[in-house]
Each structure stands twice: as C-alpha cells, then as structure tokens.
Amino acid sequence: MASSTTTDPSMLADFRSHLQKSRRICALLGAGLSASSGLPTFRGAGGLWRTHDATVLATPQAFRADPSLVWHFYSYRRHMALNAKPNAAHHALAQLAKHKPQFITLSQNVDGLSPRAGHPPEQLKLLHGSLYDLKCTDQRECGYKESNNYTDPIVPSLVIPQGGDVAASDETTTDSSSQIDHTKNLIHGLDISDIKHDIPTIQTSDLPQCPSCQKALLRPGVVWFGESLPEDVMADVDAFFSSAEPIDLMLVVGTSAVVYPAAGYIQFAKHKGARVAVVNPDPSSGNSLDLGPGGKDWFFMEDAAKILPEMLRPVIGDIEGSQ
C-alpha cells in the first residue's frame, strides 16, 4: 500500500525514471534516517544529554577526564538503539543495495539499524563506526578490537536503573509529532538522559575492561571528534569515487551534510555527473541543490520512512514496514 506523501507526483516520477536507469549510486545517511525509529539525533534541538553537550562527550578528552560519565552516555545510546527497530527507510535502502550491486552507502550513523535491516555489509560503509564495536584504549600496545557486541548492559554497573517509565513499545512510529513519546518508550527503566534521575559515578574497576591486555579500559568503537575515520572504510570509499566511471545518482538522507569529509562527497558525486536527491524535512537542506525549472536535483522535504519506500518502489517493489 502506498504511503501518503505531499511530494509533487511529477518530481517523484522524474526521480524514479532516473533511478531505474542508474547503475552507480551513492547514499549519504545521517541521524535523521533513524528519527522515525524513535532515536534522538543529539545534534539538533540543543543536543544535550543531561546537562552535557553531546558533542563534547564524544571526545577522547572527555573519556580520559570522566570515563564513567562517557560510558553512561554510550550505554544509554546502546540501550536505546537495541530497543528501537529499523524503519521503512532502512529496509528500503537495504533492498536497493540488493537490487543495485554498484550502490554504496556511506552512513554517519552508529546505531546499528541499517545492518539490522539486512543492508549488505560489503555495500555499507560505517564512517563513524558502531555503538556495538569496542576497542582497547591502548591501541598502540594492545590493539584489541571487538565487533557486534550487543550485550545490554555491557557490564552490570551500567544497567539502566528501574523506575516508572514506560516499557519498550513493539511498534515503530513514523509520526514526528510522537517522536518524543516513542523515544521514552525505548527505555526499560528510568530515562537517565533526564537530569532529575541521578546516575552513580562508577569506579574504573567496574567499567568495561580489555579482556586482552587486562590493563586498560574498553571504549566504544565509534569515531570521536578529533579522530580519523577508519582506514579500511575510507579506502573502499575512495576507490568508489576515484573510479573512472561516472556516478549516476547521489542520495542524501537525514543529514544536514555539514560534517566533513562526508559532506564533500556530495560535490564529488556531482563532479562525476550525479544528480542529487535530498530527503530531509528541514527546508534548509535543499539550499545547495540545482532545483527549479530545468534543475537536475530533487528535494523531498519529508520523513525518510514515509517517502523513501515510495521513491524506490519501481526497483525494490513493496517492502515490509511500508504503509
């Protein structure tokens, strides 16, 4: 059944026609993709977790200064994401990858929802790592790394305190007006992002320990501010963009595209001949596009979970979760 959208039918038809002819496709994904799964973006609406700027917590300096606080933040995010479900947009992109072997997805998200939607891993490049990857803080001497650790809580000391908040819902909403309520539904216990709920300072010995060297702490395997993007991921991305073949289509979904180097890939794709389709309810997201009469690009100012299944339907058909 088709979703109810406000998109101009002629624009949708033009996009679909180009999609069907496209071979080499690139997508750049941001936190807005997961908003319909109930996950907060942290970069919008103040970007605070408790009283802390979330971007300040995501640094090596913050971890060295207060590993207990930073692990509380990431344990909370792991818990939230594990209780969320991939939405229709995640599933639509996963199906597109299966139908278009030269489709590569660059995701800035660390929430694990694209892999859980069945997105082929060889076509999904996690630019900022994953909440479910871990590594030893001593990468020079130890170098321990671990992938896909879904233990919640990762250690007993990081368990979410029990309280009166609503238990996790079995349903995933695509209604942005109910996102705040749905976010609360992802918490089993107290919502510790709210400063009214106290969190304990955890002793270093009770935080996640490296099982290899047994000397250093484990840290989340995400890329923090000031750190380099994963070398193996960047090698694959660079190979895609440095190919002599043109790029037919660039999808930009749920991101303001202001963080580099990810944002630069939009211009790289344009230089390789790509037409660009932005999917974002924020009206300012279309400012840099070639729109209007005769324009090459498209701007779908809608929730990705509603419009992406419709945009991709001629290639992927109907998908589970599309309404």
Side-chain angles (χ1 to χ4, degrees), residues 52-132:
H52 305 279
D53 185 327
T55 61
V56 172
L57 290 177
T59 65
Q61 295 82 2
F63 189 81
R64 286 193 294 268
D66 194 343
S68 172
L69 175 64
V70 173
W71 258 120
H72 271 301
F73 174 55
Y74 279 96
S75 180
Y76 170 86
R77 293 181 65 185
R78 284 165 60 95
H79 178 84
M80 292 277 287
L82 280 172
N83 284 291
K85 293 183 179 180
N87 63 52
H90 293 104
H91 288 291
L93 290 165
Q95 288 301 313
L96 183 63
K98 294 171 184 177
H99 284 81
K100 296 280 188 177
Q102 295 191 68
F103 170 41
I104 186 174
T105 295
L106 319 181
S107 179
Q108 302 172 92
N109 297 337
V110 297
D111 54 40
L113 293 181
S114 288
R116 285 169 54 196
H119 203 116
E122 66 276 8
Q123 292 171 263
L124 179 64
K125 306 305 172 183
L126 300 178
L127 300 179
H128 296 166
S130 169
L131 291 172
Y132 307 105

Side-chain angles (χ1 to χ4, degrees), residues 71 74 78 110 126-136 139 144-147 154 218-224 227 230:
W71 258 120
Y74 279 96
R78 284 165 60 95
V110 297
L126 300 178
L127 300 179
H128 296 166
S130 169
L131 291 172
Y132 307 105
D133 292 349
L134 305 168
K135 62 182 182 180
C136 181
Q139 283 296 294
Y144 176 81
K145 294 183 180 181
E146 179 180 348
S147 298
I154 188 169
L218 289 177
R219 53 157 282 184
V222 298
V223 178
W224 281 333
E227 295 182 328

Side-chain angles (χ1 to χ4, degrees), residues 87-246:
N87 63 52
H90 293 104
H91 288 291
L93 290 165
Q95 288 301 313
L96 183 63
K98 294 171 184 177
H99 284 81
K100 296 280 188 177
Q102 295 191 68
F103 170 41
I104 186 174
T105 295
L106 319 181
S107 179
Q108 302 172 92
N109 297 337
V110 297
D111 54 40
L113 293 181
S114 288
R116 285 169 54 196
H119 203 116
E122 66 276 8
Q123 292 171 263
L124 179 64
K125 306 305 172 183
L126 300 178
L127 300 179
H128 296 166
S130 169
L131 291 172
Y132 307 105
D133 292 349
L134 305 168
K135 62 182 182 180
C136 181
T137 51
D138 187 359
Q139 283 296 294
R140 184 184 300 272
E141 296 295 330
C142 176
Y144 176 81
K145 294 183 180 181
E146 179 180 348
S147 298
N148 302 322
N149 183 317
Y150 295 102
T151 304
D152 181 34
I154 188 169
V155 290
S157 60
L158 287 167
V159 67
I160 300 292
Q162 293 302 299
D165 288 18
V166 181
S169 170
D170 289 333
E171 305 243 340
T172 298
T173 182
T174 57
D175 182 356
S176 59
S177 66
S178 61
Q179 181 183 332
I180 294 176
D181 289 338
H182 185 65
T183 296
K184 291 181 178 179
N185 288 346
L186 298 179
I187 292 290
H188 288 286
L190 297 177
D191 184 358
I192 62 170
S193 68
D194 191 330
I195 191 64
K196 72 181 181 183
H197 301 305
D198 293 333
I199 56 174
T201 298
I202 303 173
Q203 296 296 318
T204 300
S205 59
D206 293 325
L207 290 171
Q209 306 288 316
C210 178
S212 180
C213 68
Q214 299 183 357
K215 296 178 182 179
L217 288 177
L218 289 177
R219 53 157 282 184
V222 298
V223 178
W224 281 333
F225 289 95
E227 295 182 328
S228 300
L229 301 187
E231 291 184 4
D232 56 341
V233 171
M234 297 311 298
D236 291 343
V237 174
D238 290 343
F240 179 85
F241 280 93
S242 62
S243 169
E245 293 188 75

